[in-house]
């Protein structure tokens, strides 16, 4: 393997390598980290310390393609304590923290995963300064959705944000990579959303049969296979964009739960929270944060 700058980057916290030929992820990592045992490399994968392009990847047999970039975060015990896996802090003050979350990272704990979450990591991060510091969830992103996410540093700020969410948040813009060519360049979708006993959301056109949901979209770019849409939420319902893209006849890439029938071309869900604009809960000044559109979304929709 060549160590030219064009395909191999190394710093104090990570190793980043460009894929030159098709390979399975574990086999590729064993070559890159030839000084480590197979079990050690498998553990690094299982802990979520490996990203492919713009998402965390834990599958040993994930198929790599030439041109992708694999980044390996060094063993957590060997790096500075301020390393946050699967996220980047965009903004922080004494009241809030705004992050760019990668696809594959849970927002909060589940029964099967307690520690590898955005909340748990940020809690440890703020407690280093003061053991009494805490972090509070304001809103969530699905595990497989990337992008801008905000947390509060006090119960009071959390309540103020949540109680006045519709007035506080001025803009929530997502980008969605969807299947097929969307012929209508822009439009909006409305329905009433309901949830089944198995937690699946679905649309109803019967007035007041569920929670009203409205989604606006416009086509950024596309081809015959994929379209990249800018999606604005006028209401914030559970799985709203995913259900409405299914209603549009163009399900989100990789979204088997809501209508995707094709092979997942990007190895993740094609949904990214690009922009969050809101009034600061204390200063009342309007601030806005953006997370770049994932490269895989742009490449597939050219």
């Amino acid at each position: 393997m060549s160590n030219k700058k064009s395909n191999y980057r190394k710093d104090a916290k990570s190793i980043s390598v460009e894929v030159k030929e098709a390979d399975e992820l574990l086999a590729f990592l064993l070559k890159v980290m030839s000084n480590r045992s197979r079990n050690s490399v498998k553990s690094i994968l299982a802990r979520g310390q490996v990203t492919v392009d713009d998402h965390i990847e834990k599958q040993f047999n994930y198929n790599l393609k030439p041109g992708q970039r694999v980044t390996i975060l060094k063993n957590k015990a060997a790096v500075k304590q301020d390393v946050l896996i699967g996220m980047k802090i965009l903004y922080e003050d004494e009241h809030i923290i705004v992050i760019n979350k990668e696809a594959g990272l849970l927002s909060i704990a589940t029964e099967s995963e307690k520690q590898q979450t955005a909340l748990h990591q940020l809690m440890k991060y703020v407690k280093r300064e003061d053991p009494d510091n805490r972090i509070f969830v304001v809103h969530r992103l699905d595990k497989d959705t990337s992008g801008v996410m905000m947390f509060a540093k006090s119960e009071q700020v959390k309540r103020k944000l949540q109680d006045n969410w519709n007035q506080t948040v001025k803009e929530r813009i997502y980008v969605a990579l969807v299947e097929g060519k969307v012929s209508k360049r822009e439009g909006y979708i409305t329905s009433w959303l309901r949830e089944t006993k198995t937690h699946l959301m679905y649309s109803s056109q019967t007035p007041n049969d569920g929670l009203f949901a409205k989604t606006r979209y416009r086509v950024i770019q596309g081809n015959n296979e994929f379209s990249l849409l800018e999606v604005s939420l006028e209401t914030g319902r559970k799985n709203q964009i995913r259900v409405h893209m299914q209603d549009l006849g163009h399900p989100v890439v990789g979204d088997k739960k809501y209508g995707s029938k094709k092979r997942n071309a990007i190895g993740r869900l094609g949904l990214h929270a690009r922009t969050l604009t809101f009034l600061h809960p204390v200063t009342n000044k309007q601030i806005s944060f953006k997370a770049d559109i994932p490269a895989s979304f742009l490449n597939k929709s050219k």
Side-chain angles (χ1 to χ4, degrees), residues 146-148 169-176 216 218 220 229-233 241 271-277 289-291:
S146 56
V148 183
V169 176
K170 299 303 179 182
E171 190 177 51
R172 288 181 76 188
I173 297 176
Y174 287 71
V175 288
R216 289 189 176 273
R218 72 173 183 88
I220 298 173
L229 309 182
E230 179 183 272
V231 182
S232 300
L233 291 178
I241 294 175
L271 192 58
H272 174 75
R274 185 185 187 188
T275 305
L276 180 64
T277 302
F289 301 95
K290 290 187 177 183

Side-chain angles (χ1 to χ4, degrees), residues 2 4-10 14-20 25 28-29 32 50-57 62 64-72 102 295-296 299:
S2 170
K4 293 179 181 178
K5 287 185 178 179
S6 60
N7 78 314
Y8 184 92
R9 296 201 296 262
K10 183 176 181 180
S14 64
I15 297 170
S16 183
V17 188
E18 184 181 335
V19 178
K20 291 299 183 183
L25 182 55
F28 179 84
L29 292 174
V32 173
V50 176
T51 64
V52 178
D53 286 340
D54 46 48
H55 70 279
I56 298 169
E57 187 54 66
Y62 178 86
L64 294 171
K65 299 173 185 176
Q68 290 184 306
R69 183 163 289 277
V70 177
T71 301
I72 308 137
E102 293 184 9
S296 58
N299 292 336

Side-chain angles (χ1 to χ4, degrees), residues 163-269:
D163 292 347
N164 302 283
W165 186 252
N166 292 334
Q167 293 74 40
T168 298
V169 176
K170 299 303 179 182
E171 190 177 51
R172 288 181 76 188
I173 297 176
Y174 287 71
V175 288
L177 183 69
V178 301
E179 296 178 354
K181 185 174 182 177
V182 178
S183 56
K184 190 177 179 182
R185 300 299 296 178
E186 60 182 59
Y188 65 90
I189 307 151
T190 61
S191 69
W192 282 262
L193 296 184
R194 301 200 60 174
E195 187 170 8
T196 68
K197 292 180 180 179
T198 56
H199 307 296
L200 186 73
M201 303 300 292
Y202 67 94
S203 278
S204 169
Q205 290 301 323
T206 303
N208 302 314
D209 185 26
L211 297 173
F212 182 70
K214 185 174 184 179
T215 305
R216 289 189 176 273
Y217 74 88
R218 72 173 183 88
V219 178
I220 298 173
Q221 64 181 33
N223 51 46
N224 289 330
E225 285 191 88
F226 303 101
S227 298
L228 184 64
L229 309 182
E230 179 183 272
V231 182
S232 300
L233 291 178
E234 295 197 9
T235 57
R237 312 303 186 193
K238 179 180 177 181
N239 293 161
Q240 177 177 324
I241 294 175
R242 297 166 66 180
V243 176
H244 277 176
M245 292 303 101
Q246 182 182 37
D247 292 347
L248 189 64
H250 297 278
V252 174
V253 168
D255 197 356
K256 299 297 182 185
K257 186 175 181 180
Y258 292 107
S260 173
K261 299 291 193 296
K262 296 182 180 179
R263 180 183 64 83
N264 190 334
I266 58 173
R268 56 160 290 186
L269 185 71

Side-chain angles (χ1 to χ4, degrees), residues 112-129:
S112 59
E113 180 58 69
K114 305 296 183 186
Q115 296 192 349
Q116 197 61 32
T117 71
L119 177 63
H120 181 80
Q121 291 187 72
L122 289 173
M123 192 76 80
K124 288 178 65 178
Y125 169 79
V126 299
K127 283 181 176 293
R128 289 205 314 273
E129 183 177 308

